Amino acid sequence: MTGPSLLIVEDEEPARHALAEYLERRGYEVHQADTAQEAIRQWDAHRADAVLLDLGLPDLDGVDVIRRIRREAVTPIIILSARGDERDKISGLEAGADDYLTKPFALDELNARIRAVLRRASGASADAAGCLRLGPIELDAVRHEVRVAGELVRLTPREFELLKVMLANQGRVLTRARLLRAVWGLAYADESSYLHVYVNRLRRKLSAALPADNAASLAELIETEPGIGYRIADHESLPFR
Ligand code: CA
């Protein structure tokens, strides 16, 4: 029996083979492509459970591959990107990718990220009553209440919306523009400093409800990705339980 299937899109052959070999040993069924055209062909043929995508491909832009997949499916996509390609990573995340890794990366880290996006894809962040949970945080979208370790935390409507978007995207990287658009609307997409202030206020309010040792690790729930946005933890990757 094979595990989840992966599509690796990478034009550098040694790198692609090393990834494929490592992931096959971890029990994944692996498909490979070395161009964007081949990636789309493989995607159409196999509908992999997750896609690992190098953005610098010889024929089309890797972002075109993301758009093509997103027209049809919410399949997790992890960008494999060269150092310094911040703009590319942001366009990839904006086009719907879930996460990114900067080359060179540790294979164990890749495996952890794949597991996180596969968990996210299997759903289950909101329960039947519409509550979103992450570690000690519980957001009740119906009652408009947030509790941390059972204690009610007072948030402004914007802070509440921001936390809601974050909790609904556990295990993903959210760009600043995406968060700004989701919470404040299109006109605010460039107001990064604005977002920074709100995120810090949110972290402060949430951690105030926790004992000091747990409060420190709360920062890891909403991790800053410099130049990109924020990474939201998920249940499995939480520093505390
Ligand atoms: Ca490349």
Side-chain angles (χ1 to χ4, degrees):
M1 206 188 82
T2 51
S5 59
L6 302 174
L7 171 58
I8 304 174
V9 187
E10 165 67 81
D11 58 331
E12 283 163 53
E13 201 174 306
R16 191 177 69 249
H17 284 169
L19 285 179
E21 197 187 319
Y22 169 82
L23 292 166
E24 273 167 357
R25 267 191 280 123
R26 291 288 174 291
Y28 294 102
E29 177 192 328
V30 174
H31 305 281
Q32 303 180 38
D34 58 0
T35 62
Q37 298 285 5
E38 178 61 14
I40 289 164
R41 210 186 61 75
Q42 291 277 345
W43 163 251
D44 284 335
H46 302 292
R47 289 292 193 259
D49 295 313
V51 179
L52 310 180
L53 177 69
D54 171 35
L55 290 181
L57 295 168
D59 52 348
L60 292 169
D61 195 328
V63 176
D64 295 326
V65 177
I66 299 175
R67 291 205 188 94
R68 171 62 205 279
I69 293 173
R70 277 292 168 270
R71 281 215 304 267
E72 295 160 358
V74 295
T75 305
I77 302 171
I78 300 176
I79 295 169
L80 311 177
S81 168
R83 194 169 297 282
D85 279 351
E86 255 56 36
R87 202 188 290 264
D88 280 2
K89 286 175 204 160
I90 290 171
S91 4
L93 292 164
E94 291 283 304
D98 294 76
D99 200 351
Y100 71 89
L101 278 164
T102 304
K103 298 176 192 174
F105 47 80
L107 290 173
D108 287 350
E109 179 64 17
L110 174 67
N111 193 31
R113 301 285 182 85
I114 293 170
R115 287 164 44 111
V117 293
L118 288 174
R119 283 197 300 270
R120 196 271 301 161
S122 67
S125 55
D127 68 11
C131 277
L132 290 161
R133 288 193 181 81
L134 180 57
I137 306 170
E138 187 182 316
L139 182 146
D140 186 328
V142 179
R143 290 183 169 157
H144 240 257
E145 278 179 6
V146 173
R147 286 172 193 278
V148 174
E151 196 178 315
L152 199 62
V153 176
R154 300 211 174 277
L155 299 181
T156 67
R158 295 288 197 204
E159 290 163 356
F160 184 88
E161 279 309 306
L162 182 60
L163 183 63
K164 194 166 89 178
V165 174
M166 289 180 154
L167 294 187
N169 284 283
Q170 294 173 29
R172 305 188 78 189
V173 174
L174 297 172
T175 63
R176 294 186 292 224
R178 195 165 159 219
L179 284 167
L180 283 159
R181 278 199 310 272
V183 179
W184 284 271
L186 274 178
Y188 290 86
D190 294 326
E191 305 283 337
S192 288
S193 53
Y194 210 57
L195 182 63
H196 182 70
V197 170
Y198 269 82
V199 170
N200 281 343
R201 206 179 291 163
L202 197 53
R203 282 174 174 150
R204 212 161 44 235
K205 286 191 179 180
L206 296 174
S207 59
L210 284 171
D213 51 338
N214 267 350
S217 48
L218 193 80
E220 289 174 50
L221 290 178
I222 306 170
E223 208 177 315
T224 303
E225 292 282 318
I228 307 258
Y230 299 91
R231 171 187 305 280
I232 317 305
D234 76 347
H235 288 281
E236 297 288 318
S237 62
L238 275 185
F240 50 179
R241 286 201 228 157

